[in-house]
């Protein structure tokens, strides 16, 4: 399959899993529950067959949630200094990204941004404003087994200094015309340039999708 057909196939598998999960959340009839459990198992088998990942691993990650199926939420911190943007080098793929990670239960999106920037770059910041809410499937990311929304939150440095964390190997500030090799699973060149639009246009409205 080519890249576009891979993405479409993955979207179908994710949809099948979500339908099965929603059915299990609302069904009371034993026969319906059995059918939805089988449908969920089929979605795991399909994904394991296509990706080579272990079925047990996928059952615990891709198809373990209960209740109504909803997208996962990622948070990215956007920090500017001298017309350059803060980025960290990911240990996992040795490519660069805006500091960030999954949203945490119990703390707000802005608190997650502050925490991630501190842990990954060494800078203490305060949140300023929400810049964008983007659906990853509408951007040039590699296919993912999850449906993900990313929130981009601008923050201002109030202290600290550049320092790597457990998941990072370097920290730097980059101009729009000299971006480093990007971790496209986390952020794309178009998205980084989108963030620079807010630097040039302080009154620019929040970008959706």
């Amino acid at each position: 399959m080519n890249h576009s057909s891979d993405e479409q196939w993955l979207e179908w598998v994710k949809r099948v899993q979500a339908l099965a999960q929603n059915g299990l959340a609302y069904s009371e009839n034993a026969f319906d529950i059995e059918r939805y459990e089988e449908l969920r198992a089929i979605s795991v088998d399909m994904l394991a067959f296509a990706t080579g990942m272990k079925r047990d691993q996928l059952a615990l990650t891709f198809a373990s949630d209960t209740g109504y199926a909803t997208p996962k939420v990622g948070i990215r911190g956007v920090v500017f200094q001298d017309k350059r943007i803060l980025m960290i080098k990911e240990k996992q793929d040795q490519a660069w990204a805006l500091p960030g990670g999954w949203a945490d239960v119990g703390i707000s999106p802005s608190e997650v941004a502050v925490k991630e920037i501190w842990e990954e770059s060494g800078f203490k910041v305060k949140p300023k404003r929400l810049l964008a809410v983007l659906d990853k499937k509408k951007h040039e990311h590699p296919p993912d087994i999850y449906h993900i929304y990313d929130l981009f939150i601008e923050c201002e440095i109030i202290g600290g200094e550049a320092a790597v964390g457990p998941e990072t190997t370097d920290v730097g500030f980059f101009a729009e015309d000299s971006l480093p090799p990007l971790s496209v699973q986390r952020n794309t060149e178009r998205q980084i340039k989108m963030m620079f639009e807010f630097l040039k246009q302080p009154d620019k409205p929040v970008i959706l999708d």
Side-chain angles (χ1 to χ4, degrees), residues 97-108:
L98 300 175
W102 293 121
D104 292 314
V105 173
I107 63 176
S108 71

Side-chain angles (χ1 to χ4, degrees), residues 21-177:
Q21 181 176 326
N22 293 343
L24 289 170
Y26 292 106
S27 294
E28 297 180 359
N29 182 283
F31 293 105
D32 288 339
I33 291 173
E34 183 178 355
R35 293 186 186 97
Y36 284 122
E37 287 177 341
E38 182 178 357
L39 187 62
R40 185 176 231 191
I42 289 171
S43 73
V44 172
D45 288 338
M46 291 171 65
L47 194 57
F49 178 81
T51 64
M53 296 176 67
K54 293 182 178 179
R55 190 190 185 286
D56 290 347
Q57 179 184 356
L58 289 171
L60 289 173
T61 55
F62 174 65
S64 63
D65 284 347
T66 58
Y68 192 83
T70 61
K72 294 176 74 69
V73 178
I75 308 291
R76 291 287 155 192
V78 180
V79 178
F80 292 109
Q81 186 178 78
D82 300 326
K83 297 183 178 181
R84 297 178 298 163
I85 197 166
L86 172 66
M87 304 195 80
I88 50 90
K89 193 173 187 179
E90 295 279 353
K91 183 177 292 185
Q92 187 177 49
D93 61 7
Q94 291 299 302
W96 292 80
L98 300 175
W102 293 121
D104 292 314
V105 173
I107 63 176
S108 71
S110 60
E111 289 170 336
V112 173
V114 170
K115 178 177 73 72
E116 292 289 341
I117 291 169
W118 165 249
E119 291 176 350
E120 295 188 341
S121 75
F123 289 105
K124 296 181 179 179
V125 300
K126 64 178 181 180
K128 291 178 61 177
R129 57 176 174 160
L130 176 67
L131 302 183
V133 179
L134 304 181
D135 185 334
K136 287 188 73 171
K137 74 176 183 179
K138 295 188 176 184
H139 294 262
E140 302 87 0
H141 296 282
D144 199 295
I145 65 173
Y146 300 113
H147 187 180
I148 300 168
Y149 295 163
D150 274 335
L151 280 59
F152 293 76
I153 299 174
E154 184 178 6
C155 297
E156 179 181 351
I157 293 176
I158 57 173
E161 59 184 17
V164 298
E167 299 177 354
T168 60
T169 60
D170 203 355
V171 179
F173 287 88
F174 298 89
E176 183 178 6
D177 59 358

Side-chain angles (χ1 to χ4, degrees), residues 161-193:
E161 59 184 17
V164 298
E167 299 177 354
T168 60
T169 60
D170 203 355
V171 179
F173 287 88
F174 298 89
E176 183 178 6
D177 59 358
S178 58
L179 296 177
L182 298 178
S183 177
V184 292
Q185 186 69 39
R186 297 169 176 83
N187 43 213
T188 68
E189 181 177 355
R190 184 161 70 94
Q191 289 169 345
I192 301 300
K193 291 182 178 297

